[in-house]
Amino acid sequence: MQTTIVNAKEKATEAKTPQANAANVVVQQVSGSVAVMEAFLAEGVETIFGYPGGAIMPIYDALYDYRDKMEHILVRHEQGAIHAAQGYARTSGKTGVVFATSGPGATNLVTGLADAQIDSTPLVCITGQVFAHLLGTDAFQETDIINITTPITKWNYQVTDANEIPSVLAKAFFVAKSGRPGPVLIDITKNAQVQKFEYSGYSTCEFIRSYRPKPIVRKEYIQQAAEIINAAEKPFVVFGQGVILGKAEKEFKQFIERSGIPAAWTIMGLSALPSDHPLNVGMLGMHGNYAPNVLTNECDVLIAVGMRFDDRVTGRLDKYAKQAKVIHLDIDPAEIDKNVKATVPVWGDCKETLPLLTELLEQKCYPQWLQKFKQLEQEEIAACIYKELNPSTEEMTMGEVVKVLNELTNGDAVIVTDVGQHQMVACRYAKFNQSMSNITSGGLGTMGFALPAAIGAKFGAQDRTVVAIIGDGGFQMTLQELGTIMQCGVDVKILILNNRFLGMVRQWQELFHSRRYSFVDMESPDFVQLAKAYRIDGQSISNREDLKAALQEMLAHKDSYLLEVMVGKENNVFPMVEAGTSVSDIRLK
Amino acid sequence: MFKQEFTITIYTENTIGLLNRIAIIFSRRKINIESMNSSPSEIDGIHRFTIVINETEEVVRKLARQIEKQVEVLKAYYNSGDEIVWQELALYKVPTDEIAEKVKVERLLREFGARAVVIRKDYTVFETTGHREETEKLLKVLEPYGLIEFVRSARVAIIKDSHGFHEKLKEFEALNPSGELVTNEYLNQQEEVFDV
Ligand SMILES: Cc1ncc(C[n+]2csc(CCOP(=O)(O)OP(=O)(O)O)c2C)c(N)n1
């Protein structure tokens, strides 16, 4: 056993060059579990988030010998592991890796998989499984995790023979990362983990015959798109996470700067373009800014870049941008025409397509059209932004907390948000200078996301300040991960905005259910005491005078810190596009 | 847009679990599958699904794209009835006595293009292939004679204008007959072989 591991370790350095590796094939006996470790080393995995159990013990046993090569973060719940891996992937641009045992361990990954699938986050999750001969017998801790997770994974596969491990893991990493990224789950039976097999090295996968990660870029469409854009009078760009996933921030900036077109973002696209960029006109969608929502229905050309026209963004589809020619740039052909019919589909990775398009564009600017955005912005400031950021009430607002945080972090922090009012407020008001800084659960809206995601985000961006902004409700869905913070010593600033309600639900009940506050009144423990129990410092404040100093203290603190800010109980997030209405019917109060 | 019958033809890798992945694409959208057939294709290692549904063209187009998105799917086509040649196979089990006594079997066989697959003392199994109405006709004739069992297969279909993909796929397979995973040797040729 020992000699095998030593050999395998030597192999690890070779594995970085798969060609060379294939050339001088050294066959040796290793276990399936060791092959998993070798695959990870070759794929450059540095951090694994996980939770052990019987069915994955051989893999954990192998990990013990690799513990100085890869970091393993022991979370307090598998859902925490997968959200942490998501946070890690989103700040590092790498693939997040998760370990979980069979049965309940595997099913605890379900929410995170669904979240990663809808937000296109690259993950490789390894679950242990019972011995192959027990499959389908309702053995102890056996669940059919492959069938459970089929609709929420980009790809999944069950390994029952160790011989499959190198090629299946290579395929897993390739599928997770390439094209439109997504989560992959590999379920490995216990016999395959312990089985010794003839291992001849690891080769990364760069091609699968049935899989085309990127569609072919069609020059004629680029040409058509350019003609339409050049002829436009009121063009408008809406962009999403595709810009970030494609690492195309620079190309995107060049595109809008040359074309002079105002650009608005979805919450998944937030931070791809600096907040203070003159052509950045704000946030789209349900709680987005007034101007971009209203002017969607006035533009003559709508250019969608790496976004998927989610219903939270479009409102009623039959009233969405009907007057506009739509140019849709997306790597996933299935997104084109799915919700909004494209006049010109520009299939491809926007890192490739944007420069081709920019090249054909005339240098332009649209002062009058931009002016319209500014005018409507003024209306929005007067109707709600000013009050939110400079409240005259005694109670603090979420917006003013974010505003002071901006002042203190200069837009350089990574902001991780949970789900609810604070999420919308943070996305609306947080300022960003650099990409991959806004980490949130966009498509699934998963409460309990922020705390573990912030842990992962910090591992993915170790030199940056990571602030998790969380509601009192969402925090209580995930507070066991304070234990993870305590044990691994990760530095995460936890900012709880406590309105003593499940705020977002309460807002809807107020607006649409005649204030019938049905089970949204939430009592919380003493969060500061709780943090102390986990040896995390913190304080709670409820006076405005203390806000700045408290945030300063949090940011200056050398380890993790929990700051609870008591905010107005019944504050609402406005503007708002009510469900089932058009984006131009957005209400300011 | 109106709903009509569409036949979806999917070329896939032959892997476990793919049937489920494809079926989920329909069930998630509450689309009822009229029939589904899966079998090997003319190319080694490539399977072919034939799925019949009633839907609007717009929905079918989107479905085809979602199907194609699956890692192990090579290509998904959809066609209306006039773009394909299709057949279904039907088997009819009837009591031999009854049939022998009361029906002019040869006439029946001739008229419906049927053939006897099994003739035993107790029962006889006939078979026909054809479109739904054709197999239905013989069913109507045999029903009064104590039909014991009837079964019809899923549709199989050949796309009339499918030369392009078959050739491409064959060329591709000739270039790349190897197993599941290969390194990027063929990556650059991918674009010549496939088209969206
Ligand atoms: C797991 C999960 N359960 C339920 C919901 C529905 N939901 C959306 S927002 C919200 C309230 C969130 O309250 P809180 O965490 O206190 O944040 P606030 O809205 O007050 O900022 C709820 C219950 C959800 N998004 N996720």
Side-chain angles (χ1 to χ4, degrees), chain B residues 55-68:
Chain B
E55 259 307 332
T56 65
E57 182 167 355
E58 196 184 331
V59 169
V60 178
R61 191 186 322 120
K62 288 179 190 177
L63 280 169
R65 286 195 185 160
Q66 295 293 341
I67 293 167
E68 244 173 43

mmCIF file of all heavy atoms in Angstrom, chain B residues 55-68:
data_model
loop_
_atom_site.group_PDB
_atom_site.id
_atom_site.type_symbol
_atom_site.label_atom_id
_atom_site.label_comp_id
_atom_site.label_asym_id
_atom_site.label_seq_id
_atom_site.Cartn_x
_atom_site.Cartn_y
_atom_site.Cartn_z
ATOM 1 N N GLU B 55 -47.027 18.522 -30.684
ATOM 2 C CA GLU B 55 -46.697 19.838 -30.124
ATOM 3 C C GLU B 55 -46.623 20.880 -31.236
ATOM 4 O O GLU B 55 -46.665 20.543 -32.416
ATOM 5 C CB GLU B 55 -45.349 19.778 -29.386
ATOM 6 C CG GLU B 55 -45.470 19.671 -27.876
ATOM 7 C CD GLU B 55 -46.343 20.729 -27.233
ATOM 8 O OE1 GLU B 55 -46.465 21.839 -27.787
ATOM 9 O OE2 GLU B 55 -46.937 20.441 -26.176
ATOM 10 N N THR B 56 -46.499 22.122 -30.850
ATOM 11 C CA THR B 56 -46.284 23.169 -31.849
ATOM 12 C C THR B 56 -44.826 23.122 -32.296
ATOM 13 O O THR B 56 -43.962 22.643 -31.554
ATOM 14 C CB THR B 56 -46.556 24.571 -31.265
ATOM 15 O OG1 THR B 56 -45.593 24.819 -30.244
ATOM 16 C CG2 THR B 56 -47.957 24.674 -30.696
ATOM 17 N N GLU B 57 -44.587 23.624 -33.469
ATOM 18 C CA GLU B 57 -43.225 23.560 -33.987
ATOM 19 C C GLU B 57 -42.259 24.327 -33.090
ATOM 20 O O GLU B 57 -41.122 23.915 -32.869
ATOM 21 C CB GLU B 57 -43.172 24.108 -35.418
ATOM 22 C CG GLU B 57 -41.767 23.989 -35.959
ATOM 23 C CD GLU B 57 -41.629 24.206 -37.449
ATOM 24 O OE1 GLU B 57 -42.660 24.373 -38.125
ATOM 25 O OE2 GLU B 57 -40.475 24.210 -37.905
ATOM 26 N N GLU B 58 -42.740 25.441 -32.563
ATOM 27 C CA GLU B 58 -41.873 26.254 -31.719
ATOM 28 C C GLU B 58 -41.388 25.462 -30.505
ATOM 29 O O GLU B 58 -40.206 25.480 -30.157
ATOM 30 C CB GLU B 58 -42.637 27.492 -31.273
ATOM 31 C CG GLU B 58 -41.713 28.549 -30.732
ATOM 32 C CD GLU B 58 -42.462 29.751 -30.193
ATOM 33 O OE1 GLU B 58 -43.574 30.030 -30.710
ATOM 34 O OE2 GLU B 58 -41.945 30.384 -29.269
ATOM 35 N N VAL B 59 -42.322 24.773 -29.873
ATOM 36 C CA VAL B 59 -41.945 23.974 -28.696
ATOM 37 C C VAL B 59 -40.977 22.871 -29.101
ATOM 38 O O VAL B 59 -39.970 22.624 -28.431
ATOM 39 C CB VAL B 59 -43.207 23.384 -28.018
ATOM 40 C CG1 VAL B 59 -42.837 22.345 -26.977
ATOM 41 C CG2 VAL B 59 -44.042 24.497 -27.398
ATOM 42 N N VAL B 60 -41.264 22.231 -30.228
ATOM 43 C CA VAL B 60 -40.407 21.121 -30.657
ATOM 44 C C VAL B 60 -38.992 21.616 -30.971
ATOM 45 O O VAL B 60 -38.005 20.958 -30.634
ATOM 46 C CB VAL B 60 -41.024 20.406 -31.883
ATOM 47 C CG1 VAL B 60 -40.123 19.284 -32.353
ATOM 48 C CG2 VAL B 60 -42.385 19.843 -31.511
ATOM 49 N N ARG B 61 -38.917 22.785 -31.566
ATOM 50 C CA ARG B 61 -37.593 23.333 -31.882
ATOM 51 C C ARG B 61 -36.788 23.547 -30.600
ATOM 52 O O ARG B 61 -35.616 23.194 -30.495
ATOM 53 C CB ARG B 61 -37.746 24.652 -32.638
ATOM 54 C CG ARG B 61 -36.426 25.137 -33.219
ATOM 55 C CD ARG B 61 -36.486 26.519 -33.853
ATOM 56 N NE ARG B 61 -37.696 26.792 -34.574
ATOM 57 C CZ ARG B 61 -38.539 27.794 -34.266
ATOM 58 N NH1 ARG B 61 -38.288 28.578 -33.239
ATOM 59 N NH2 ARG B 61 -39.629 27.991 -34.979
ATOM 60 N N LYS B 62 -37.461 24.119 -29.608
ATOM 61 C CA LYS B 62 -36.774 24.367 -28.333
ATOM 62 C C LYS B 62 -36.384 23.056 -27.656
ATOM 63 O O LYS B 62 -35.300 22.934 -27.084
ATOM 64 C CB LYS B 62 -37.664 25.186 -27.399
ATOM 65 C CG LYS B 62 -37.795 26.628 -27.864
ATOM 66 C CD LYS B 62 -38.701 27.413 -26.956
ATOM 67 C CE LYS B 62 -39.015 28.768 -27.572
ATOM 68 N NZ LYS B 62 -39.948 29.543 -26.765
ATOM 69 N N LEU B 63 -37.290 22.076 -27.744
ATOM 70 C CA LEU B 63 -36.990 20.773 -27.141
ATOM 71 C C LEU B 63 -35.743 20.167 -27.785
ATOM 72 O O LEU B 63 -34.872 19.643 -27.098
ATOM 73 C CB LEU B 63 -38.160 19.812 -27.367
ATOM 74 C CG LEU B 63 -39.342 19.960 -26.441
ATOM 75 C CD1 LEU B 63 -40.506 19.141 -26.962
ATOM 76 C CD2 LEU B 63 -38.977 19.486 -25.044
ATOM 77 N N ALA B 64 -35.681 20.258 -29.105
ATOM 78 C CA ALA B 64 -34.543 19.670 -29.813
ATOM 79 C C ALA B 64 -33.241 20.308 -29.333
ATOM 80 O O ALA B 64 -32.229 19.632 -29.134
ATOM 81 C CB ALA B 64 -34.708 19.832 -31.313
ATOM 82 N N ARG B 65 -33.285 21.606 -29.099
ATOM 83 C CA ARG B 65 -32.066 22.276 -28.610
ATOM 84 C C ARG B 65 -31.706 21.834 -27.203
ATOM 85 O O ARG B 65 -30.533 21.677 -26.875
ATOM 86 C CB ARG B 65 -32.257 23.785 -28.634
ATOM 87 C CG ARG B 65 -32.197 24.311 -30.045
ATOM 88 C CD ARG B 65 -32.009 25.807 -30.049
ATOM 89 N NE ARG B 65 -32.088 26.280 -31.426
ATOM 90 C CZ ARG B 65 -32.340 27.535 -31.758
ATOM 91 N NH1 ARG B 65 -32.531 28.440 -30.831
ATOM 92 N NH2 ARG B 65 -32.387 27.891 -33.016
ATOM 93 N N GLN B 66 -32.722 21.672 -26.369
ATOM 94 C CA GLN B 66 -32.442 21.204 -25.010
ATOM 95 C C GLN B 66 -31.868 19.790 -25.042
ATOM 96 O O GLN B 66 -30.997 19.451 -24.251
ATOM 97 C CB GLN B 66 -33.720 21.231 -24.151
ATOM 98 C CG GLN B 66 -34.291 22.609 -23.913
ATOM 99 C CD GLN B 66 -33.406 23.481 -23.048
ATOM 100 O OE1 GLN B 66 -32.541 22.997 -22.334
ATOM 101 N NE2 GLN B 66 -33.607 24.794 -23.115
ATOM 102 N N ILE B 67 -32.390 18.984 -25.943
ATOM 103 C CA ILE B 67 -31.896 17.604 -26.045
ATOM 104 C C ILE B 67 -30.446 17.618 -26.519
ATOM 105 O O ILE B 67 -29.587 16.928 -25.976
ATOM 106 C CB ILE B 67 -32.785 16.786 -27.007
ATOM 107 C CG1 ILE B 67 -34.184 16.598 -26.406
ATOM 108 C CG2 ILE B 67 -32.163 15.429 -27.320
ATOM 109 C CD1 ILE B 67 -35.228 16.081 -27.371
ATOM 110 N N GLU B 68 -30.184 18.432 -27.513
ATOM 111 C CA GLU B 68 -28.828 18.500 -28.055
ATOM 112 C C GLU B 68 -27.818 18.990 -27.031
ATOM 113 O O GLU B 68 -26.626 18.739 -27.131
ATOM 114 C CB GLU B 68 -28.804 19.434 -29.265
ATOM 115 C CG GLU B 68 -28.441 18.703 -30.521
ATOM 116 C CD GLU B 68 -28.569 19.556 -31.754
ATOM 117 O OE1 GLU B 68 -28.152 20.720 -31.731
ATOM 118 O OE2 GLU B 68 -29.100 19.047 -32.747
#
